[in-house]
Amino acid sequence: MAKVKYYYDSDTLSYRKIELRKRDKFRRMIVFVVASAMMGGLLVFLMYQFVESPRQKVMKRELENMKLHYELLEKKMAQAEEVLDGIQTRDNNIYRTYFEANPIPDEQRKAGFGGVNRYKSIEGFDNSQMIIEATRNLDILSKQLYVQSKSLDEIIDLAKDKEELLASIPAIQPVSKQDLTRMASGFGWRLDPFTKARKRHKGMDFTSPKGTPVYATGNGKVIRADAGSSGFGKHIRIDHGFGYVTLYAHLSKYNVRRGQKVKRGDLIGYVGSTGRSQAPHLHYEVRYNKQQINPINFYYGDLSPVEFQEMLKMASQEGQSLD
């Protein structure tokens, strides 16, 4: 039951009941409602500031989890960059050096991205800088991986060429050591057996009995097997590619034909004395880019160091050639 309030009326010298007018009652109600609403709003504000809602707690956990994953991603990217840096160093200093290719400059490997802002779409968020930095680092790493991948593709092609070169370049004696009587004449100035004049000998002469097998000194293709070149008699020429051609002259007969592909060590013909020759022997030449060079430098696959020194000594002696 509501309390009844009184006031003392000095005119009548008695207590009278306090009766509120409707306007006063309405005013009080409005004040109460407004005050309640303000208090409620203040309480809600304080709760949002200092008390987390279940949804906020979930979002906070997700954010902390994302930050943890970001830190792990940064560490993995740093490890990948370290591994890639090691590969790039080996690529420039070992692989490309071995295959005689120019190293890739750092400016090309680690070049940035110019032009428009690539990360405009991820700006304006609370963690935009973190996301932009991670995305930029990933883009740079991806570009470096692409450059390195192209470099390794080039190295593979160079390795294939190198393997083919090593198989093709002349590397053995055209006549087996056990079949040799002696090396009759080396590369350089010698006496012509017919004119007795001093003449430049453009190959090496190997004395062997007629019919001694002659072998291809490297992989290649037979481009001539005929007697149509003055002085050489029956002879064979093999194109090894990479600028190398070998010539085998004064043969007694052939074991190959023009256009045939041969491998190092294949039997291609037999020693004879056809053409401009004084005795059975093989005249052997190595030509590089159409210039005759000393064949003695191409026996590394066939001679021991001692045997090579002995042949070098014999080849340096001036005497009379057999053709």
Side-chain angles (χ1 to χ4, degrees):
M1 185 175 179
K3 291 182 179 180
V4 178
K5 294 183 180 181
Y6 297 87
Y7 72 95
Y8 181 75
D9 189 348
S10 59
D11 293 333
T12 62
L13 300 177
S14 62
Y15 286 95
R16 297 175 66 86
K17 186 189 292 186
I18 298 175
E19 294 181 356
L20 293 174
R21 292 173 296 179
K22 289 183 178 181
R23 185 175 59 183
D24 294 332
K25 289 181 179 180
F26 181 74
R27 186 184 295 117
R28 288 188 178 187
M29 185 180 67
I30 292 297
V31 170
F32 175 77
V33 171
V34 171
S36 298
M38 290 178 65
M39 183 60 69
L42 179 61
L43 289 173
V44 171
F45 174 76
L46 292 174
M47 286 182 65
Y48 271 102
Q49 289 295 318
F50 302 103
V51 180
E52 293 180 344
S53 69
R55 186 170 181 272
Q56 285 177 317
K57 289 181 179 179
V58 171
M59 292 180 65
K60 186 176 181 180
R61 283 198 301 269
E62 289 181 353
L63 181 59
E64 292 298 326
N65 191 37
M66 288 178 62
K67 288 182 178 179
L68 177 61
H69 281 288
Y70 172 74
E71 291 175 359
L72 293 175
L73 178 62
E74 273 193 324
K75 290 181 180 178
K76 289 182 179 179
M77 288 176 63
Q79 292 173 351
E81 288 174 357
E82 185 177 350
V83 172
L84 180 59
D85 186 63
I87 294 174
Q88 290 172 343
T89 300
R90 290 197 299 273
D91 184 35
N92 274 352
N93 298 333
I94 299 177
Y95 309 144
R96 302 185 74 82
T97 299
Y98 177 76
F99 293 110
E100 299 176 354
N102 292 326
I104 299 176
D106 286 343
E107 295 77 12
Q108 181 178 344
R109 288 187 183 275
K110 300 179 180 179
F113 298 91
V116 298
N117 184 1
R118 300 167 60 88
Y119 314 108
K120 188 175 182 179
S121 60
I122 52 179
E123 290 178 347
F125 301 98
D126 291 341
N127 299 298
S128 289
Q129 191 57 39
M130 180 178 70
I131 298 171
I132 290 172
E133 190 66 24
T135 306
R136 181 185 292 113
N137 290 339
L138 186 60
D139 286 344
I140 293 173
L141 184 62
S142 298
K143 182 176 181 181
Q144 291 182 29
L145 284 171
Y146 174 77
V147 173
Q148 184 58 50
S149 175
K150 299 298 289 183
S151 176
L152 291 177
D153 288 342
E154 183 183 354
I155 293 297
I156 290 173
D157 292 338
L158 291 171
K160 290 178 180 178
D161 291 342
K162 194 82 169 183
E163 183 179 6
E164 184 180 352
L165 170 64
L166 293 175
S168 300
I169 194 171
I172 62 173
Q173 290 185 120
V175 179
S176 296
K177 291 179 289 185
Q178 61 267 25
D179 294 332
L180 281 176
T181 304
R182 65 186 179 91
M183 192 200 74
S185 180
F187 183 88
W189 292 97
R190 300 291 183 267
L191 292 178
D192 185 283
F194 297 98
T195 65
K196 304 303 180 184
R198 198 164 180 266
K199 181 181 178 182
R200 190 167 180 269
H201 192 234
K202 298 179 180 180
M204 294 185 72
D205 291 343
F206 296 92
T207 302
S208 290
K210 182 180 179 180
T212 299
V214 176
Y215 303 98
T217 56
N219 296 359
K221 181 179 179 180
V222 178
I223 55 174
R224 289 191 67 171
D226 56 60
S229 187
S230 176
F232 288 138
K234 292 182 178 180
H235 74 289
I236 295 170
R237 301 187 196 195
I238 298 176
D239 186 352
H240 302 276
F242 306 97
Y244 288 96
V245 173
T246 52
L247 181 146
Y248 313 78
H250 310 304
L251 303 175
S252 59
K253 59 180 180 177
Y254 314 109
N255 196 52
V256 292
R257 63 185 182 279
R258 184 174 178 272
Q260 182 177 336
K261 291 184 178 180
V262 294
K263 292 184 177 181
R264 181 181 293 144
D266 283 355
L267 176 63
I268 59 173
Y270 300 90
V271 171
S273 188
T274 57
R276 193 172 184 269
S277 171
Q278 273 201 332
H281 75 287
L282 173 71
H283 174 80
Y284 174 64
E285 292 184 8
V286 176
R287 300 177 180 182
Y288 179 67
N289 290 336
K290 300 182 180 180
Q291 296 294 321
Q292 288 92 348
I293 55 179
N294 196 341
I296 202 169
N297 297 317
F298 295 86
Y299 301 142
Y300 54 85
D302 203 30
L303 298 177
S304 68
V306 174
E307 291 170 331
F308 181 78
Q309 289 298 326
E310 181 63 25
M311 177 170 284
L312 191 64
K313 180 180 177 181
M314 294 174 62
S316 63
Q317 296 175 355
E318 287 198 25
Q320 181 175 293
S321 64
L322 294 177
D323 48 35

